[in-house]
């Protein structure tokens, strides 16, 4: 990566690190807006207190994405990751857990996350700050310029910092590694794949509501005059 961009990325990381960790004007609020713009669906922040492994999640018909934000300089501790993954495992509606961190997550940590998540029944996406390639977290920010601009105004950063952030995000888009990073993000956050997950859950609810109750009007729902449960 060009040395000038590397220095600008370091400055962007420092700016992120100076943000409050929580709330609408903090790192959580920034990520909420960024994911909304990238995925195209609304997200909400979790209430304070026990959050069961997520700082925020998608809302509406698609609730399968949850995200966790970490303002770390050093790598996220292994035990902290395992604890978060355990909390996610008891939330069946979460099918994709996005870890957003201002530090680099090692390949060993990421493989461990994927292994634990797959065994439990959900997927993971790491938006971290790699020091050897284009940081996926920075890529996500560059993909959501409107959300970032709105956040900067809301957080009341100085005009100089606002200008510096906007410049580095434009420079990221011009970097040759940006396209590769974007492809990875699009594959994981594609609305089509998320929609499939939502459709599966809707089908499960319909089947449960339709075939799991003795009080359902089956003639009206299935144009048939018998009850599948009572017919045996």
């Amino acid at each position: 990566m060009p040395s000038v961009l590397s220095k600008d990325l370091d400055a962007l990381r420092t700016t992120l690190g100076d943000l409050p960790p929580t709330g609408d004007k903090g790192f959580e609020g920034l990520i909420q807006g960024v994911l909304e713009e990238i995925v195209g669906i609304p997200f909400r922040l979790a209430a304070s207190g026990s959050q069961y492994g997520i700082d925020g999640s998608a809302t509406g018909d698609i609730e399968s994405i949850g995200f966790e934000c970490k303002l770390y300089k050093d790598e996220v501790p292994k035990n902290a990751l395992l604890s978060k993954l355990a909390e996610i495992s008891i939330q069946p509606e979460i099918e994709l857990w996005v870890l957003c961190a201002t530090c680099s997550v090692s390949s060993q940590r990421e493989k461990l996350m994927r292994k634990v998540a797959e065994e439990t029944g959900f997927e993971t996406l790491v938006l971290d700050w790699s020091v050897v390639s284009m940081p996926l977290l920075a890529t996500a920010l560059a993909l959501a310029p409107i959300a970032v601009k709105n956040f900067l105004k809301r957080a009341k950063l100085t005009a100089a910092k606002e200008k510096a952030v906007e410049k580095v995000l434009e420079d990221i888009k011009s970097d040759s590694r940006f396209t590769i990073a974007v492809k990875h993000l699009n594959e994981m956050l594609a609305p089509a794949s998320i929609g499939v997950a939502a459709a599966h859950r809707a089908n499960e609810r319909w089947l449960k509501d339709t075939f799991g109750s003795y009080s359902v009007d089956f003639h009206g729902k299935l144009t048939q005059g018998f009850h599948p449960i009572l017919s045996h």
Side-chain angles (χ1 to χ4, degrees):
M1 206 179 303
S3 58
V4 174
L5 180 56
S6 295
K7 291 179 180 179
D8 289 343
L9 284 171
D10 288 342
L12 175 59
R13 184 185 181 191
T14 298
T15 297
L16 296 177
D18 290 337
L19 294 174
T22 61
D24 185 59
K25 297 179 182 179
F27 187 46
E28 290 178 354
L30 171 62
I31 296 302
Q32 174 194 12
V34 166
L35 290 177
E36 282 186 350
E37 185 168 341
I38 293 175
V39 183
I41 57 177
F43 281 75
R44 64 168 174 240
L45 295 180
S48 58
S50 181
Q51 299 173 331
Y52 300 103
I54 60 172
D55 291 325
S57 60
T59 64
D61 294 333
I62 300 176
E63 299 180 343
S64 57
I65 306 176
F67 66 88
E68 177 79 6
C69 302
K70 295 295 183 186
L71 284 176
Y72 282 14
K73 291 183 178 179
D74 300 317
E75 185 165 12
V76 182
K78 176 181 176 181
N79 290 339
L81 277 179
L82 292 176
S83 175
K84 293 296 181 182
L85 291 169
E87 291 178 324
I88 291 296
S89 68
I90 63 174
Q91 300 188 71
E93 72 276 9
I94 299 298
E95 297 183 4
L96 175 63
W97 184 62
V98 185
L99 174 63
C100 305
T102 53
C103 62
S104 176
V105 177
S106 68
S107 60
Q108 293 93 332
R109 289 278 198 279
E110 191 167 0
K111 287 178 182 177
L112 175 64
M113 287 174 57
R114 283 202 304 268
K115 182 177 183 296
V116 174
E118 286 172 1
E119 291 173 351
T120 313
F122 62 95
E123 294 187 75
T124 60
L125 170 62
V126 176
L127 303 182
D128 66 342
W129 207 271
S130 172
V131 294
V132 296
S133 61
M134 178 62 70
L136 282 177
L137 179 56
T139 301
L141 297 179
L143 280 173
I146 296 175
V148 172
K149 185 174 183 177
N150 290 340
F151 172 80
L152 294 176
K153 296 292 184 185
R154 188 167 69 246
K156 296 182 179 179
L157 270 66
T158 65
K161 282 191 175 182
E162 283 188 33
K163 187 175 181 180
V165 169
E166 291 173 358
K167 179 183 181 301
V168 68
L169 295 185
E170 286 298 320
D171 291 343
I172 287 171
K173 292 179 182 179
S174 301
D175 189 272
S176 59
R177 306 187 191 197
F178 178 69
T179 302
I180 298 173
V182 169
K183 181 180 178 181
H184 176 62
L185 288 182
N186 284 340
E187 288 173 351
M188 293 299 297
L189 294 171
S193 62
I194 298 168
V196 169
H200 281 226
R201 288 195 306 281
N203 287 339
E204 288 174 2
R205 287 195 299 270
W206 184 88
L207 289 170
K208 183 178 179 180
D209 292 343
T210 303
F211 294 108
S213 173
Y214 287 90
S215 61
V216 171
D217 176 10
F218 277 83
H219 184 72
K221 277 202 170 189
L222 302 176
T223 65
Q224 60 188 39
F226 70 91
H227 192 300
I229 297 176
L230 298 179
S231 63
H232 290 287

